[in-house]
Every structure is written in structure tokens, then in C-alpha cells.
Amino acid sequence: MKVYKFGGASVCNAAGVRNVMDIVSKEQEPLVVVVSAMGKTTNAMEEVLHHYLEGNDAAVSTRLEQIRQMHVQIMDGLSLSDRTRFDDVFAMLVSVLGRRTPADSYERSYDEIVSHGELLSTAIVASYARQCGIDAEWIDMRRMLVTDGRHREASVDFDASTLNLRRAVGCGARLFVMQGFIGGTPSGHPTTLGREGSDYTAAAVASMLDCHSVTIWKDVDGILSADPRIFPSATLIDRLSYIDAVELAYSGAQIIHPKTIKPLHNKNIPLYVRPFAAPDRPGSCICNFDDYTPPAMPVLILKRNQILISIEPKDFSFVLEESLASVFATLNSYRQKVNMVQNSAVRISVSVDASRYFADLVADLQRDFSVRYNDNLELLTIRGYTPEVVERESAGHTIYIRQQTRRSIRLLRDTVPVA
Ligand code: ASP
Ligand code: MG
């Protein structure tokens, strides 16, 4: 069995869904297809959520109708005759939004509502597959992928989910259509795994079902050595080791969700990244090979919107010995992703993503520490660096922190406006 994952861009219109079915129908063995919400539906669902929480019924209806129309247009474009599943899912969404009282927290409402993007897209893909004569099963991942209750960032319970999934694929269909990004708690509350989490779903499912491989079909040729919109000299990397892939994803590479690599590495399952617009091209492969060979060319990853926080115990105590655990516990409780850590005797500096919780975090830390910060920074990671690339990327910038190993250099630098 194999897993194919299709992101929002690959199913943003009827031609996209038809192309997905072309790719899928070439596959002989049973296949799991993990699908994201269509196009920018997740963003649209987030808007619906905000209107809902503000109690703005008119705005909810307008946005919801736009979402429905977008999907209807795709179904019309496919001449889809059986729309029962889609209609059921949409009715479910309408009924959740019709409830006057939102769930008890922002996070829980988010998961309840936003998860419908994937439910709608897979309803269409599964019905269309059947219309094309493929024996396809629609799987509701809210009941299949068991997670904890950390809403918007849930962790998957691999043991419980494996049992469910094995049972589900045991029916012997040819195609299993699953939602990426969403799961559910044992007590039946929908959860989500974090934005762009569908890649992780694909990897988790592949690991649970001991699949031969995962293929992520994307709107680019494969993994590039940098984001071509920022670094025009970017080129295709045909092969990348798990270790480089996980480091790059963690550093902010948009190509795959950072959590994707671990389950694949643990079971030695290769991950292909291939262009859905040119399915004959090989793309890139992330797999197990000599992990000590640096990438064949410098790979550059830029993570924007960084804030450097400097934290000092007020009583001048040694920070590593006495405060490290409490600083990180506080960061974690505000869900701050820490991207870089640097310390001296009495100071710890961390670079975090700017977030809606930042002001609260600083207020909390200030009870025990003196806290200063610099915002509007960016973190550049260069893996397999050369002196020329480092020189080029440092020039004209103030470098706040520079960390170097034999394999990579990370520069926390100011954002220089493009001339
Ligand atoms: N639809 C979700 C998002 O846009 C998950 C994903 O696409 O991976 O973040
Ligand atoms: Mg996506």
C-alpha cells in the first residue's frame, strides 16, 4: 500500500480534481489518498470562525455561501451526480454554526468548524472517484485518527489510531480517501494538527499501515534549494536525507510540515515530493542514505517574523542551572515555538515566532525575569554552507545571533527592506 497526499492547490478547481483522479487511477495497488481542503478554504473557514465568535451572523452566512458556491462550482465542473456526502457535511457545518453558544474555548471552536474544509473536499473527491469507477471509501478521520485534546495542535495517539485504521482498510477497497489535518479525541471532539498538517497525516498513516512510500504531490517540481521567490538561484534537489529534511522543515522550509519526517524515518519509509502538473517527472526523494554527506548545494531557509527575547533572572542567578526549565515551561504554556536558543551566564536568548500570545507571554515572564526583546527579525538557516553564501547573506544586515556547526549556519538578522 502507498500513500498519496494532495494539498489544497492540487484540488482548487475541477481540472485539479480530474488530474488527481488521473494520477490515482494509474496506481495498481490499493492506495490511501490524503487530501487537504480545496484551495484557500482553510483561510476562508478561519474567517467564518471569527465572524461566528463575534456573533456576526450576516457575515457568517455570506462567507459560508461563498465557500459553498466555490465547492458547487467544482462539483458542476466534474458533473458530479452524487452529492449526498457533500450535502451532509455542509449541513453539519451549518448546524454547528447555528448553535448560539460557541464551544468553551477559541481553540475548540476552531477545530469544530475549520475541520469541515477537509471533510468537504474529501466528500467530493471520494464521490468523484466512485463516479470514475474506482472502488473508493470515504474515511472520517475525526473518528479514525485519535488525538489528545490539545486543540489546533493535537498529538496523534499512534497505537489507538493504528487499530482503527487497520480495521478500516481491512474492507479491501481500492482507494481510501482520508482528510489530512484533522482528527478527534477519544470522547469525540474534532481536533486539528496545526496549519499545513496534512503532510503529517500522510506520514502518520503510512507509518501505521506500514506503507511502502508516501508521495506528496505539489505545485512545484520537488524540493528546491531555497524559496525561488526569495532566492532566484534556487534549484531542484533530487535526494535529501531524513536528517537534512527534518532540520530544514524545522527551520521554516515551507515544503513539508516539520513533524512529517519522524514517523517516516522511524520506519524507513521514503517520501517523494513530486509535481502534480507533471506526474512523469521524478521530483525529489527524502530517504535514508549517508546522513553525514551534506546536501549537494547550499540549502537556504528563511523564517520571517521572528522575535528575539532576552531573559535574565532578576536576582542574577545562573540561568542554565536555575531557570532553564521554568523559562521553557512558560514558553510552552503560551505555545511559543522556539527556533533558536543562546545562553550566557545570566541570560538566555530565544528566537520565537511572532504570535497572538506574545504580550501575555512577556507579562508572565516578567514576574521572575527581566525581559527585553527585538522584533521584526528573520532567521536564515544555510545547510551545506559555503563562505561565499554566508558572506552574501550577511552583507548589509545586523546579525543578532550567529550559530555555526560543520553542517549549517544560522543567522538571526534584521529585515532589510528590498531596494
Ligand atoms: N488545510 C490545512 C491548511 O491549509 C491543512 C493542510 O493543507 O495541510 O493549513
Ligand atoms: Mg496546504
Side-chain angles (χ1 to χ4, degrees):
M1 207 171 208
K2 288 185 192 171
V3 177
Y4 279 3
K5 183 256 167 174
F6 293 95
S10 61
V11 288
C12 66
N13 52 32
V17 179
R18 248 185 252 114
N19 182 48
V20 164
M21 221 43 72
D22 283 346
I23 293 175
V24 163
S25 51
K26 293 207 180 82
E27 198 47 57
Q28 297 309 314
E29 57 182 308
L31 195 63
V32 170
V33 171
V34 171
V35 187
S36 300
M38 292 176 157
K40 300 273 177 231
T41 303
T42 303
N43 295 353
M45 288 290 182
E46 288 181 348
E47 286 170 35
V48 169
L49 169 76
H50 290 125
H51 297 317
Y52 170 68
L53 294 176
E54 282 165 2
N56 187 344
D57 294 347
V60 169
S61 304
T62 312
R63 201 73 188 93
L64 200 56
E65 182 53 22
Q66 287 164 350
I67 293 172
R68 202 183 68 84
Q69 278 304 332
M70 190 275 270
H71 288 87
V72 166
Q73 212 176 355
I74 293 177
M75 290 189 286
D76 290 347
L78 297 168
S79 308
L80 191 67
S81 48
D82 182 3
R83 302 185 182 188
T84 328
R85 177 90 63 198
F86 177 87
D87 291 339
D88 289 350
V89 171
F90 199 83
M92 236 166 18
L93 174 59
V94 170
S95 104
V96 171
L97 291 167
R99 253 184 262 146
R100 303 305 314 168
T101 38
D104 49 12
S105 71
Y106 168 79
E107 272 78 20
R108 200 150 137 178
S109 298
Y110 183 103
D111 287 353
E112 216 175 357
I113 291 165
V114 176
S115 55
H116 284 81
E118 269 69 14
L119 293 165
L120 293 172
S121 72
T122 50
I124 296 177
V125 170
S127 302
Y128 184 61
R130 255 183 257 118
Q131 184 163 307
C132 295
I134 301 173
D135 172 22
E137 279 286 317
W138 182 79
I139 307 280
D140 185 342
M141 294 298 265
R142 293 173 303 179
R143 288 181 189 88
M144 200 58 53
L145 201 71
V146 183
T147 72
D148 64 6
R150 188 171 163 110
H151 288 280
R152 290 186 69 199
E153 230 174 36
S155 293
V156 175
D157 177 338
F158 272 65
D159 292 338
S161 308
T162 301
L163 285 179
N164 290 345
L165 275 170
R166 294 234 163 112
R167 208 173 302 130
V169 301
C171 73
R174 241 267 291 125
L175 186 68
F176 298 92
V177 182
M178 303 183 186
Q179 305 84 40
F181 177 58
I182 76 173
T185 64
S187 53
H189 291 292
T191 52
T192 59
L193 309 178
R195 286 301 307 262
E196 304 303 327
S198 296
D199 294 347
Y200 178 55
T201 303
V205 168
S207 155
M208 292 174 202
L209 296 177
D210 289 319
C211 293
H212 307 312
S213 67
V214 175
T215 305
I216 297 183
W217 295 90
K218 299 216 55 136
D219 54 0
V220 288
D221 276 347
I223 298 174
L224 303 181
S225 62
D227 182 339
R229 288 165 302 185
I230 309 174
F231 303 101
S233 60
T235 48
L236 185 76
I237 304 174
D238 56 358
R239 207 175 60 150
L240 203 63
S241 63
Y242 289 119
I243 180 86
D244 281 327
V246 78
E247 291 290 352
L248 292 170
Y250 184 78
S251 307
Q254 298 288 324
I255 193 86
I256 28 173
H257 190 278
K259 279 161 86 180
T260 310
I261 303 299
K262 177 173 180 258
L264 300 176
H265 168 269
N266 291 173
K267 288 213 169 165
N268 205 4
I269 301 170
L271 170 68
Y272 299 95
V273 179
R274 297 177 59 187
F276 60 71
D280 299 331
R281 290 203 204 136
S284 307
C285 175
I286 296 169
C287 56
N288 195 10
F289 67 100
D290 179 7
D291 279 350
Y292 296 98
T293 325
M297 64 198 82
V299 181
L300 285 80
I301 307 297
L302 190 65
K303 203 166 187 143
R304 293 202 161 115
N305 299 320
Q306 294 300 295
I307 305 180
L308 174 62
I309 318 178
S310 297
I311 303 157
E312 284 177 33
K314 284 182 178 158
D315 63 0
F316 218 65
S317 56
F318 293 126
V319 74
L320 279 193
E321 277 135 60
E322 287 153 61
S323 310
L324 193 65
S326 105
V327 166
F328 275 84
T330 307
L331 288 164
N332 188 41
S333 69
Y334 289 92
R335 299 176 168 214
Q336 281 289 351
K337 294 253 172 351
V338 176
N339 301 310
M340 186 183 231
V341 184
Q342 179 97 355
N343 78 283
S344 68
V346 296
R347 175 185 304 160
I348 179 156
S349 303
V350 293
S351 179
V352 300
D353 293 341
S355 90
R356 61 204 305 270
Y357 306 107
F358 183 72
D360 293 342
L361 165 73
V362 170
D364 196 338
L365 285 170
Q366 273 169 339
R367 285 190 285 133
D368 294 320
F369 303 95
S370 44
V371 179
R372 285 176 304 126
Y373 63 87
N374 298 87
D375 56 7
N376 208 13
L377 304 182
E378 53 189 35
L379 177 59
L380 178 69
T381 302
I382 311 173
R383 210 154 164 83
Y385 58 87
T386 61
E388 297 74 39
V389 176
V390 177
E391 166 72 37
R392 186 188 77 203
E393 294 304 327
S394 307
H397 287 275
T398 302
I399 306 293
Y400 286 75
I401 296 181
R402 173 184 159 123
Q403 288 180 344
Q404 175 170 5
T405 65
R406 280 170 294 172
R407 202 181 183 87
S408 63
I409 280 193
R410 310 180 80 203
L411 304 171
L412 186 65
R413 65 187 194 185
D414 59 350
T415 309
V416 177
V418 196

